[in-house]
Amino acid sequence: IVADDNRIPDLVARYKLGSVTIAAIGRELRYDNNAGISDSTTGYGISISGKHMIGDRDDFRWMFTTGSGLGRYVGLNTANGAVLDANGKLHSIDTTSAFGSYRHFWNDKWRSNITLGYLSVDNPTEYTGSGVTSDASSFHLNLIYSPGPKMDFGIEYMHANREVESGTDGDLDRIQFSAKYAF
């Protein structure tokens, strides 16, 4: 289900302290339908992130996020924010995620990124079943060429893994190309 009948907007607070940022969210998850099912629950989360310079141009970026009912705010909505039980009651779903990414400049025109990411979902399987994501991870390595200040060309290799609550898992390997012109 999509619990998107919220009456209260999502509230976000963010505080930056040097190279570290702390953010928090509070949200209502509500579901109403024509069959008389109506319930709401609360979602909340906290995120800590940072960007640290390494040398003159390289940097390391990271983020750790945890909470309940985060849904679309984490991992491109890999996990729902809430699940509806047989009695029409919503239960928020807990998630924890993290990523780290190192960006290296080879010279003025070439740079690379190496990124690792992980998501863990604590599904109430008595309501969701065993076909939903329990964890997912990914590894990215790219090379980007910038012939001018507004143009980039890139190639990236990605390896990802997803496991569902039943224990079944699968891998994805992808090579992708990109071109960008900034107006």
Side-chain angles (χ1 to χ4, degrees), residues 60-134:
F60 179 73
R61 300 164 192 238
W62 58 274
M63 179 182 282
F64 174 82
T65 303
T66 190
S68 187
L70 294 176
R72 66 181 176 231
Y73 287 100
V74 177
L76 301 173
N77 205 30
T78 302
N80 287 329
V83 63
L84 193 64
D85 71 16
N87 297 320
K89 299 295 179 194
L90 275 177
H91 301 270
S92 57
I93 298 172
D94 297 342
T95 56
T96 299
S97 64
F99 84 87
S101 184
Y102 177 70
R103 179 173 64 166
H104 175 69
F105 284 85
W106 299 101
N107 57 42
D108 287 342
K109 296 193 181 287
W110 293 90
R111 67 185 183 276
S112 293
N113 299 279
I114 184 168
T115 304
L116 299 169
Y118 180 75
L119 168 68
S120 175
V121 185
D122 186 14
N123 291 292
T125 55
E126 64 271 26
Y127 309 129
T128 63
S130 61
V132 293
T133 300
S134 64

Side-chain angles (χ1 to χ4, degrees), residues 2-172:
V2 177
D4 206 15
D5 295 316
N6 312 335
R7 296 179 184 164
I8 302 170
D10 298 351
L11 301 173
V12 177
R14 182 176 178 263
Y15 182 74
K16 185 169 182 173
L17 181 63
S19 61
V20 175
T21 300
I22 300 170
I25 185 170
R27 63 190 301 226
E28 175 192 37
L29 299 165
R30 175 174 289 282
Y31 180 72
D32 295 311
N33 73 5
N34 295 334
I37 297 173
S38 179
D39 193 32
S40 67
T41 189
T42 302
Y44 57 88
I46 188 163
S47 179
I48 302 169
S49 62
K51 175 183 173 186
H52 308 280
M53 296 305 296
I54 300 170
D56 291 335
R57 297 180 71 187
D58 293 3
D59 62 64
F60 179 73
R61 300 164 192 238
W62 58 274
M63 179 182 282
F64 174 82
T65 303
T66 190
S68 187
L70 294 176
R72 66 181 176 231
Y73 287 100
V74 177
L76 301 173
N77 205 30
T78 302
N80 287 329
V83 63
L84 193 64
D85 71 16
N87 297 320
K89 299 295 179 194
L90 275 177
H91 301 270
S92 57
I93 298 172
D94 297 342
T95 56
T96 299
S97 64
F99 84 87
S101 184
Y102 177 70
R103 179 173 64 166
H104 175 69
F105 284 85
W106 299 101
N107 57 42
D108 287 342
K109 296 193 181 287
W110 293 90
R111 67 185 183 276
S112 293
N113 299 279
I114 184 168
T115 304
L116 299 169
Y118 180 75
L119 168 68
S120 175
V121 185
D122 186 14
N123 291 292
T125 55
E126 64 271 26
Y127 309 129
T128 63
S130 61
V132 293
T133 300
S134 64
D135 64 77
S137 61
S138 65
F139 165 80
H140 304 257
L141 178 63
N142 65 27
L143 180 64
I144 300 171
Y145 172 65
S146 300
K150 295 185 175 191
M151 183 163 282
D152 293 329
F153 297 97
I155 183 170
E156 179 174 276
Y157 167 71
M158 177 183 78
H159 173 79
N161 177 274
R162 175 178 174 246
E163 183 175 336
V164 296
E165 290 289 350
S166 69
T168 304
D169 71 342
D171 293 329
L172 169 74

